[in-house]
Amino acid sequence: MENYAAPARPIVAAMTNAALAEPHRAVAFQGAPGANSHVAALEAYPDGLPLPCFDFADALDAVKSGKADRAIIPIENSLHGRVADIHFLLPESGLAIVGEHFLSIRHALMATGTRDELAEAMSHPQALGQCRHWLRAHGIRPIAYADTAGAAARVAEMGDPRIAALAPPRAAELYGLNLLAEDISDGERNMTRFVALARGSQPPVGDGPWMTSLIFEVKNIPAALYKAMGGFATNGVNMTKLESYQRGGSFAATEFYCDVVGKPGEPAFDRAVEELGFHSKSVRILGTYAQARERG
């Protein structure tokens, strides 16, 4: 609780008490009340009780310990790329991806003073990156902070009219700040994709179409990735995302995260994953879930 700025603490406490009283309805999110993840939790689970957590690890721990039924985590943004490293967060957590949600992002500038007084803006690095051209054009220096709404609470706590926060518009109301500018993203189509995480493997719910997320490590031989991908091409299975990453900083082997249209039990999908496994040292399915937005 002490990690949050003082104006956020009573709101965090009230939300936490409500969520802990009904853990089967609790949806953990990273950030202070009013953050984009809070908005996503409300949109994705209208009957849920959002549970604020200071960082991503805390949100996952809330689900693992049974304090929350699920967590909702941002993983990629249309303007600024990767948000959370889901391939690092998930494998050791024992959680599975059970859903996805797309949130249209609206960044607003808010402060205790007026726009003429501003010199700096605090926010999450993702938000600052998504508004970097606007900030530069207005001579405002960016300052990184843990999350968007948390920055709004901190600005309210400091009371310095020279420092603003970049956060969703609702944060200005929550923390008593002046709303100075709205919709200041550098692109008109600013969208963040969230995934919902729950304990253990769960059967897909809904009518589809389906997405499956998985991680794999190819064998350390020439053309290993090319061969591993061949099964998806020959079986007509659409891979919508492929990202490489290094685990442990060794640079000895590359691992990959991918999203694929389809689910286990579909013949084409099963054949593609079988061939992927033949050319890989390891393959792990992180979850199968209904598409929130159709691909292709």
Side-chain angles (χ1 to χ4, degrees):
M1 187 73 69
E2 297 304 313
N3 289 327
Y4 292 99
R9 291 173 196 163
I11 307 173
V12 171
M15 292 174 63
T16 299
N17 290 337
L20 294 182
E22 298 185 71
H24 62 284
R25 294 176 57 200
V27 182
F29 70 92
Q30 183 272 330
N36 284 308
S37 293
H38 183 193
V39 177
L42 292 171
E43 286 188 3
Y45 301 101
D47 296 326
L49 295 171
L51 173 63
C53 301
F54 188 72
D55 58 29
F56 290 125
D58 290 340
L60 299 189
D61 286 342
V63 180
K64 289 192 290 183
S65 67
K67 292 179 180 178
D69 180 66
R70 59 196 57 208
I72 190 160
I73 302 292
I75 62 168
E76 58 185 327
N77 176 265
S78 58
L79 296 182
H80 210 240
R82 182 189 297 174
V83 181
D85 288 323
I86 203 69
H87 31 62
F88 292 124
L89 291 170
L90 269 186
E92 306 306 322
S93 71
L95 304 182
I97 301 177
V98 297
E100 65 175 358
H101 181 75
F102 289 85
L103 177 69
S104 181
I105 303 298
R106 296 183 60 221
H107 290 306
L109 192 72
M110 55 197 71
T112 57
T114 66
R115 190 158 156 181
D116 292 338
E117 299 174 279
L118 291 183
E120 300 172 334
M122 297 174 61
S123 197
H124 189 279
Q126 273 279 335
L128 296 172
Q130 293 161 25
C131 303
R132 62 187 181 278
H133 297 307
W134 192 96
L135 293 173
R136 187 181 299 116
H138 291 82
I140 299 173
R141 185 169 70 90
I143 303 174
Y145 197 77
D147 75 279
T148 54
R154 177 63 178 145
V155 165
E157 182 179 50
M158 291 188 297
D160 188 338
R162 299 169 302 169
I163 303 176
L166 275 180
R170 186 165 181 254
E173 179 183 348
L174 281 175
Y175 302 116
L177 297 173
N178 300 323
L179 197 57
L180 305 180
E182 294 188 67
D183 297 322
I184 61 174
S185 296
D186 293 332
E188 293 182 2
R189 297 181 179 179
N190 189 358
M191 188 77 63
T192 294
R193 179 186 175 221
F194 291 77
V195 291
L197 313 175
R199 290 181 295 278
S201 178
Q202 299 188 7
V205 177
D207 300 324
W210 306 102
M211 293 293 297
T212 296
S213 297
L214 49 89
I215 54 176
F216 63 94
E217 180 182 349
V218 295
K219 296 176 181 178
N220 194 15
I221 58 175
L225 180 60
Y226 174 80
K227 293 174 182 176
M229 296 294 93
F232 294 94
T234 56
N235 287 286
V237 176
N238 185 19
M239 181 177 290
T240 63
K241 180 181 179 68
L242 177 66
E243 236 178 32
S244 64
Y245 63 100
Q246 299 287 337
R247 181 177 294 277
S250 66
F251 294 98
T254 300
E255 298 183 43
F256 295 88
Y257 167 92
C258 67
D259 292 326
V260 178
V261 176
K263 66 174 182 175
E266 296 176 347
F269 177 93
D270 289 344
R271 288 193 298 269
V273 172
E274 182 180 9
E275 188 165 342
L276 173 66
F278 182 78
H279 296 289
S280 300
K281 293 173 64 177
S282 63
V283 177
R284 178 173 176 177
I285 291 180
L286 299 178
T288 297
Y289 45 93
Q291 294 182 24
R293 176 171 296 189
E294 193 168 352
R295 273 62 158 193

